[in-house]
């Protein structure tokens, strides 16, 4: 095939089996979100580039699919949804707060594709707008863990929590002005190693301060293990309250880790990242509080949220054998004999109209071939309408699992079929 | 707000109420598709532009969001999914046929936004690959009508069916070589009027032939009304069989209309369009047979399918008052008193873990304000945990519709709440 007709690198096609698995995963995410009273929203996939430049700085242009549209506007495929959602919440007047929203948009980033990182991916997002409460911070963390639990990943992950507000104050107390510069360095800790980080910090802050900064940003563990080592007590009290709530709610699998700063400049309070417990993959999800983002849209709405891409999640779920397999959706395959096509199609129609899924061979090949088709389509039962059956006003029903065949009278057929308790809403269950 | 931060023209934001309605509509489409044994797929949103140029010609560049990516590739946001799906089916080897696939992608077209036409929209698509049978043609038409019926639009539409194969043969028998040129003119009939069309045809084919062409392409009505007026009998027999199937399956709301040619060059057999019965809007859906499209990917897989955008569909459903309203998803709002936050949050957690949706006020304002929040969140019940309740190991439950209050013992609370038959799967039902 001509390569100019090929799929682009870093993009995915989803064939039925892959798509059905993904649909089940997305539905579980929706279900958990709705139990937490989050409501789904959706936003444009193309936006003015300026929104993302304003939030993340000029360098983001290299990581986006941005271009000039036919009217000369500098637009981009959205690399994240957060600023778009922030605009949406800023634009509604008199909306009661808090607002709890989630979405599962496609996002695009122009990065070199690698394991868990694609150019096009889905990302689950959840945010609480309009509440500064520590109980909204805990709600977001608990939601993120509940989604993983509901997907079958209970105890297969660790959430690392830190606090940008605290970190900023510690750096400022060390006399450091450009805290974002330091955060960007700390954020690379895992990637480049402690030695290199210390070197970089020394270059900016001098060796002594670099040592102290390293010490603080290396603290990790349970709250009681680290709380005595941090001086800025007012904020530590806040973090202690968050810790109390998470403990009271039986949240396992979390710890405090001050090396988590998340590079993005817009965080203003708690930040967190969740990795699989083996740390084999990059973070499966991450988020935090960003109380000042809506300012670019002329609002002052506090916010806390997180995002979770589908690529790392799938790697982790597959490793743990909880990625759902495709499910059988076909209740009946109707085997139709050439002379009785109308009768056969009417049966198909009746089944479908009564909520069952049903199919047939549009080419009406031999009974043997039709039975084979019933099998490969994963039908639960086949229904055979032959000459004899029609004469006796019956249909032969074959259980495709056991191979057992039965003759069933056509009168009240639907009522009789209902007792097999076939899924009513195939797509959902 | 700075206009460079605004939403782009022709794009939509979906706030929770709008999104929840749309989700219900999409779920119904999925449900109907699955009853017909169609399986969901998904495809990249960005593709090499060449795919669409090859299918539709150079002029499509003016109607797409196409651009050079950072590596200099000419890529585009997909304006339709059909050729991408055709590539997908071409690339799997040894797949048993037929394959019945559907999808609901976002699509993008650079056109002037107007009623029912946007720059970004969702489009439901369904295709049957690998079957040339007239029973696949009928299956696709019946599916398209069943989706409309299941969405509450029974008898609110008319499907107009024609045949490109027949039309081509008629034109060729008139000695016309460039049939696509004629189809493009006929396709404008409704837009520019009969007089203008006749003039354009005369310019190409001469006045006599233009008259005969006009006569044939103006034929419309029931099969019996038009069949005698067409000479090319072999193909009319095929169309007659399609008519018989649709009649046998009690399909109402269809007719034959030879003015339907659908401009796109790639159709090779039946073509159809469905309009609302008042013809107030542009077509709600359209499709047909395209047996040669996979040739560009080196395959020879016959195909028939249709597409339905969400914009006209929404206009029609709203006009007919069947566009679903947002539904109540919140089962319980827990009113929590400041001294008993842990107890309150534990109740919320227990409810959520048992499949109910539950929420609370993260700021624990006054009971009055929390009750107001329960109301605006549309809670079915509020559960009040006060001092007295806790002392007696009870909770006060208020029916938010009737206002009736009851005290319920905390023992076996979940069992007691189950009898209220609250939706188990909020998002689905």
């Amino acid at each position: 095939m001509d390569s100019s007709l090929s799929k682009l690198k870093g993009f995915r096609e989803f064939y039925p089996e892959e798509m059905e698995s993904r649909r089940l995963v997305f539905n579980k995410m929706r279900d958990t979100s709705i139990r937490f009273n989050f409501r789904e929203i959706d936003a444009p996939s193309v936006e003015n580039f300026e929104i993302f430049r304003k939030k993340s700085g000029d360098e983001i242009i290299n990581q986006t699919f941005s271009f000039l549209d036919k009217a000369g506007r500098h637009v981009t495929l959205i690399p994240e949804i957060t600023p778009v959602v922030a605009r949406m919440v800023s634009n509604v007047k008199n909306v009661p707060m808090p607002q709890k929203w989630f979405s599962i948009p496609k996002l695009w980033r122009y990065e070199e594709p690698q394991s868990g990182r694609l150019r096009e991916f889905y990302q689950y997002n959840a945010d609480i707008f309009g509440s500064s409460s520590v109980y909204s911070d805990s709600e977001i963390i608990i939601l993120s863990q509940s989604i993983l639990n509901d997907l079958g990943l209970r105890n297969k992950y660790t959430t690392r929590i830190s606090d940008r507000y605290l970190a900023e104050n510690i750096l400022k107390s060390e006399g450091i002005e450009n805290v974002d510069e330091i955060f960007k360095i700390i954020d690379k800790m895992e990637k480049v190693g402690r030695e290199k980080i210390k070197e970089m910090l020394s270059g900016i802050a001098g060796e002594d301060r670099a040592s102290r900064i390293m010490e603080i940003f290396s603290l990790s563990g349970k709250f009681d293990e680290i709380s005595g080592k941090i001086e800025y007590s007012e904020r530590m009290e806040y973090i202690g309250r968050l810790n109390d709530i998470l403990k009271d709610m039986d949240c396992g699998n979390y710890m405090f880790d001050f090396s988590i700063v998340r590079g993005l400049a817009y965080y203003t309070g708690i930040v967190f990242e969740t990795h699989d417990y083996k740390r084999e993959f990059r973070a499966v999800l991450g988020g935090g509080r960003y109380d000042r983002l809506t300012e670019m849209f002329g609002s002052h709405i506090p916010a806390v949220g997180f995002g979770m891409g589908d690529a790392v999640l799938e790697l982790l779920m597959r490793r743990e054998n909880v990625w759902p397999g495709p499910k059988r959706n076909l209740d009946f395959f109707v085997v139709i004999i050439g002379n009785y096509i109308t009768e056969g199609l009417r049966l198909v129609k009746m089944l479908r109209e009564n909520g069952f899924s049903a199919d047939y061979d549009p080419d009406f090949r031999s009974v043997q071939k039709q039975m084979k088709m019933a099998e490969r389509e994963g039908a639960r039962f086949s229904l055979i309408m032959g000459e004899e059956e029609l004469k006796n006003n019956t249909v032969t029903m074959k259980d495709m699992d056991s191979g057992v065949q039965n003759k069933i009278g056509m009168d009240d057929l639907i009522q009789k079929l209902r007792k097999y308790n076939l899924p009513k809403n195939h797509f959902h269950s």
Side-chain angles (χ1 to χ4, degrees), chain A:
Chain A
M1 193 178 73
D2 182 351
S3 78
S4 71
L5 304 178
S6 303
K7 181 172 71 65
L8 295 167
K9 192 170 69 165
F11 287 76
R12 292 172 294 178
E13 296 169 328
F14 297 112
Y15 284 88
E17 305 215 337
E18 293 131 51
M19 188 61 195
E20 282 158 8
S21 299
R22 202 159 305 271
R23 182 62 57 206
L24 289 170
V25 168
F26 289 170
N27 281 351
K28 270 205 191 286
M29 291 174 175
R30 287 202 174 91
D31 224 53
T32 308
S33 308
I34 288 169
R35 277 190 284 114
F36 277 68
N37 201 30
F38 281 71
R39 299 181 70 185
E40 189 170 6
I41 56 110
D42 194 23
S45 298
V46 185
E47 289 282 353
N48 278 303
F49 177 71
E50 184 62 14
I51 298 171
F52 300 97
R53 197 194 60 73
K54 204 150 186 172
K55 169 170 177 277
S56 306
D58 288 326
E59 58 269 45
I60 198 174
I61 195 167
N62 298 317
Q63 294 146 35
T64 54
F65 281 84
S66 63
F67 58 100
L68 297 180
D69 77 2
K70 294 197 167 51
R73 281 174 290 250
H74 189 191
V75 300
T76 185
L77 299 188
I78 60 169
E80 55 165 335
I81 202 171
T82 311
V84 184
V85 177
R87 182 186 65 208
M88 285 175 67
V89 79
S90 297
N91 280 351
V92 274
K93 301 299 166 214
N94 303 319
V95 60
M97 292 294 173
Q99 287 288 320
K100 301 164 77 177
W101 290 356
F102 79 96
S103 55
I104 316 181
K106 262 190 182 177
L107 302 179
W108 296 267
R109 293 191 191 156
Y110 198 86
E111 293 180 305
E112 211 42 49
Q114 47 187 284
S115 170
R117 182 185 274 175
L118 298 159
R119 288 189 167 171
E120 177 181 71
F121 56 98
Y122 287 99
Q123 186 177 281
Y124 172 90
N125 288 268
D127 298 278
I128 303 176
F129 291 101
S131 165
S132 308
S133 169
V134 66
Y135 291 95
S136 292
D137 290 352
S138 62
E139 174 90 344
I140 277 290
I141 292 172
I142 293 170
L143 171 65
S144 74
Q145 293 199 341
S146 295
I147 289 177
L148 295 178
N149 294 346
D150 292 346
L151 289 173
L153 292 170
R154 191 179 289 273
N155 295 329
K156 302 298 185 189
Y157 58 84
T158 306
T159 302
R160 285 176 168 75
I161 305 171
S162 183
D163 189 72
R164 278 286 282 262
Y165 188 86
L166 178 69
E168 266 191 56
N169 277 280
I170 289 170
L171 290 177
K172 279 181 182 156
S173 74
E174 287 285 347
I176 285 166
E177 295 294 319
N178 191 350
V179 294
D180 284 344
E181 197 183 354
I182 302 289
F183 287 152
K184 274 184 191 153
I185 294 172
I186 303 280
D187 201 35
K188 296 199 181 94
M189 184 100 71
E190 198 165 2
K191 208 160 154 191
V192 306
R194 289 177 59 85
E195 278 314 303
K196 182 78 187 145
I197 295 292
K198 191 162 178 184
E199 202 177 290
M200 290 163 85
L201 288 176
S202 297
I204 294 169
E207 221 167 294
D208 277 8
R209 283 197 298 187
S211 289
R212 285 197 299 277
I213 293 171
M214 282 297 285
E215 206 173 303
I216 287 164
F217 285 99
S218 300
L219 285 176
S220 76
K222 296 197 174 167
F223 183 74
D224 298 336
E225 292 162 13
I226 57 154
S227 58
K229 296 175 183 155
I230 302 276
E231 280 174 30
Y232 182 55
S233 63
E234 196 183 312
R235 188 62 183 176
M236 277 312 280
E237 198 210 314
Y238 183 92
I239 298 172
R241 283 167 64 205
L242 176 63
N243 180 58
D244 287 341
I245 302 168
L246 297 178
K247 267 202 313 191
D248 281 347
M249 294 304 113
D250 305 321
C251 275
N253 313 111
Y254 77 92
M255 61 187 287
F256 291 87
D257 182 341
F258 286 0
S259 73
I260 304 295
V261 293
R262 297 189 63 72
L264 303 166
Y266 75 122
Y267 285 114
T268 58
I270 62 141
V271 286
F272 62 99
E273 277 181 8
T274 299
H275 280 84
D276 78 282
Y277 71 113
K278 291 184 186 168
R279 291 206 83 152
E280 187 183 342
F281 310 118
R282 58 186 82 226
V284 63
L285 64 86
R289 179 166 282 285
Y290 53 101
D291 284 347
R292 302 189 56 184
L293 187 63
T294 57
E295 287 176 7
M296 69 192 259
F297 303 107
S299 296
H300 298 277
I301 303 171
V304 59
F306 77 97
M308 171 167 63
D310 70 334
V312 174
L313 180 69
E314 180 176 350
L315 290 175
L316 175 56
M317 288 179 71
R318 285 191 187 277
R319 190 190 72 192
E320 299 296 330
N321 289 316
V322 294
W323 184 254
K327 56 191 286 289
R328 164 145 66 185
N329 273 321
L330 184 58
D331 300 325
F332 297 103
F333 189 94
V334 180
V335 175
I336 300 176
I337 316 294
N339 289 336
Y340 304 102
I341 291 178
T342 302
E343 291 79 359
L345 290 185
R346 282 189 164 277
L347 176 57
V348 170
K349 176 176 145 76
M350 184 172 72
L351 291 166
R352 289 173 174 173
E353 285 178 354
N354 282 282
F356 298 107
S357 57
D359 208 358
Y360 63 95
D361 176 5
D363 293 307
F364 310 107
R365 289 168 289 189
S366 69
V367 170
Q368 202 188 351
K369 282 196 173 142
Q370 290 189 45
M371 287 305 290
K372 209 165 170 172
M373 190 170 160
E375 210 169 296
R376 65 115 162 150
E377 290 296 320
R380 179 72 190 85
F381 297 102
S382 57
L383 293 172
I384 305 145
M385 273 196 128
E387 190 146 3
E388 203 200 309
E389 282 91 347
L390 273 164
K391 217 161 50 192
N392 301 321
N393 200 31
T394 60
V395 62
T396 298
M397 176 160 146
K398 179 177 176 181
D399 184 318
M400 298 299 285
D401 293 337
S402 67
V404 173
Q405 294 201 13
N406 275 305
K407 280 219 161 57
I408 309 186
M410 284 290 281
D411 299 331
D412 298 324
L413 181 66
I414 294 296
Q415 275 66 31
K416 288 171 196 155
L417 297 180
R418 285 211 198 286
K419 74 174 179 203
Y420 290 94
N421 218 0
L422 293 158
K424 262 204 78 131
N425 291 304
H426 307 90
F427 143 70
H428 302 141
S429 39

